[in-house]
Amino acid sequence: MPSHHVQLSLSRRGFLLASAGAGAALGLSAGPVRAAARRPFGRFGSPSARLTPGTLYVDARGRGDHTSVRDAVAAATGTGRTLVIAPGTYRETVAVDTTRTGATWIGASENPRDVVIVYDNAAGTPKPGGGTHGTTGSATTTVQADGFTARWITFANDWLRADHPGVSGTQAVAIKVQGDRSAFHHCRFLGHQDTLYADSTALGTFARQYFSHCYAEGDVDFVFGRATAVFEHCHFRTLNRTDLAAAPYGFVFAPSTAGANPHGYLVTGSRVTSEAPDAFYELARPWVPSSDTTARPMLTVRDTHLGPGIDAVAPYANMSASFPWQDQRFAEYRNSGPGAVVTVPGNRPQLTPEQAASATRSAHLGDWAPWKETC
């Protein structure tokens, strides 16, 4: 699958801190940057020629309605508002509450490397008023509203363990998504532990989410939560770690699907690569939170290439001995690559063709078909 993603590790903070105009130093094409200088909002209009009356324009250089995404979200009240975001690095935290339904965010250059929303809170980061942020509070971006769509945007958390050796709460979320019918197309999610939190607003709420042609990187449980989420044609990359001497370095997925939910995470037509040594990562472990001990995490990985970074002998692990992965809903189907080789059948549950027929995006998402949406 063709990829436009730059492979970034611990040194990516330099990238995140750089402006979009620093593309030459990163080996990126200067074309979009030059175009942005002339037309910062690309083919998506401008404050003087809006796509719709409800469209707002964001540009850190002052050529739009707002210079920050947070201010634009505050101004975009109601339903169906669109933000067109010019190339730039927006260092801020942003929250889309439940009242701002049907919102759309567009990266104007149509290249997710150019529009970066980033901050550096971790779960253990002290809050100004006392206490710490916790995992949810660490999120750079939080989306609670239903019907949210993002295209061509990077969501990042560049908090680094090496910079904070005394902090034990190392979860650092790039984005927490809780709304139903949330779609991300050609987006990137950068972080280390708990990068992409695909969740719901409440235990009894089954939030459907769709990620298409996206890139996510991290080390520990970097795609996690209880949403009904489909990841199609996505690239997951596990990072190297210099703070650990032995495997495992971490886990890609940590679903926490509610026991009553028949659909958890579905990964299809995707790939998992690694910059770490071979077999130093496991594919998943189940997260059964203390707040919901009835959870039965569900993950299906099918028609996906698993690179050598995944431990093919033991790709799954327990987060808690009280909730072994074998008692959860983990399965695979027709995967390929060194990390997909079945050497111990008991460690690699496989779907039958009949079971695989119902492990599809349509079965997971029901009457919602976000892959048909265009921009």
Side-chain angles (χ1 to χ4, degrees):
M1 183 175 66
S3 174
H4 301 290
H5 304 302
V6 178
Q7 306 305 338
L8 303 168
S9 61
L10 293 180
S11 63
R12 74 168 175 271
R13 169 163 291 181
F15 159 67
L16 294 172
L17 291 174
S19 68
L26 299 166
L28 307 179
S29 168
V33 176
R34 286 197 299 268
R38 298 191 301 271
R39 297 178 57 196
F41 305 109
R43 64 183 177 92
F44 301 104
S46 68
S48 61
R50 298 182 189 276
L51 286 179
T52 68
T55 300
L56 294 177
Y57 294 86
V58 184
D59 178 31
R61 296 173 59 184
R63 296 167 293 181
D65 301 300
H66 302 277
T67 57
S68 75
V69 179
R70 182 192 298 154
D71 288 349
V73 169
T77 56
T79 298
R81 303 298 295 272
T82 297
L83 302 188
V84 179
I85 308 173
T89 298
Y90 299 85
R91 178 162 287 277
E92 55 184 318
T93 58
V94 185
V96 182
D97 66 34
T98 57
T99 68
R100 289 168 164 79
T101 56
T104 298
W105 294 5
I106 299 171
S109 71
E110 301 179 61
N111 183 336
R113 294 173 295 181
D114 292 340
V115 176
V116 180
I117 303 172
V118 58
Y119 209 72
D120 61 350
N121 283 329
T125 301
K127 293 194 296 186
T132 57
H133 283 283
T135 300
T136 291
S138 74
T140 298
T141 302
T142 302
V143 179
Q144 295 182 316
D146 292 342
F148 179 85
T149 299
R151 297 178 184 273
W152 306 298
I153 295 173
T154 292
F155 300 90
N157 189 316
D158 64 353
W159 188 92
L160 300 177
R161 296 183 187 95
D163 293 346
H164 306 275
V167 175
S168 59
T170 58
Q171 301 90 341
V173 177
I175 187 169
K176 180 171 184 177
V177 187
Q178 297 177 280
D180 185 37
R181 293 174 289 105
S182 299
F184 296 80
H185 304 272
H186 301 278
C187 289
R188 301 196 309 159
F189 308 97
L190 308 183
H192 284 269
Q193 183 172 352
D194 293 4
T195 304
L196 172 54
Y197 197 169
D199 204 49
S200 69
T201 54
L203 176 60
T205 301
F206 301 161
R208 296 165 295 173
Q209 299 170 10
Y210 179 68
F211 300 82
S212 171
H213 298 91
C214 290
Y215 171 88
E217 70 175 26
D219 47 41
V220 178
D221 306 331
F222 64 93
V223 181
F224 74 113
R226 65 173 172 241
T228 295
V230 174
F231 302 90
E232 187 170 39
H233 306 309
C234 290
H235 179 188
F236 305 92
R237 185 159 180 83
T238 59
L239 300 176
N240 200 11
R241 296 188 64 173
T242 59
D243 58 320
L244 296 179
Y249 278 2
F251 316 86
V252 181
F253 303 100
S256 59
T257 320
N261 191 347
H263 301 294
Y265 284 3
L266 171 65
V267 180
T268 179
S270 297
R271 61 184 173 129
V272 179
T273 65
S274 182
E275 63 180 39
D278 290 357
F280 268 51
Y281 273 88
E282 294 174 0
L283 187 60
R285 61 179 181 173
W287 176 32
V288 178
S290 59
S291 59
D292 177 24
T293 56
T294 66
R296 284 199 65 213
M298 183 176 186
L299 168 70
T300 301
V301 181
R302 61 171 300 170
D303 302 299
T304 289
H305 184 89
L306 305 180
I310 296 299
D311 182 354
V313 175
Y316 304 110
N318 297 331
M319 188 176 294
S320 167
S322 300
F323 305 100
W325 72 263
Q326 293 90 341
D327 293 346
Q328 312 310 322
R329 295 175 286 178
F330 285 5
E332 301 177 52
Y333 185 69
R334 289 193 320 201
N335 293 324
S336 61
V341 174
V342 179
T343 57
V344 181
N347 288 347
R348 309 295 299 249
Q350 302 289 314
L351 298 178
T352 66
E354 292 74 22
Q355 291 170 327
S358 61
T360 64
R361 63 187 185 183
S362 296
H364 274 63
L365 302 181
D367 60 358
W368 179 48
W371 55 88
K372 295 180 179 180
E373 298 173 1
T374 60
C375 182

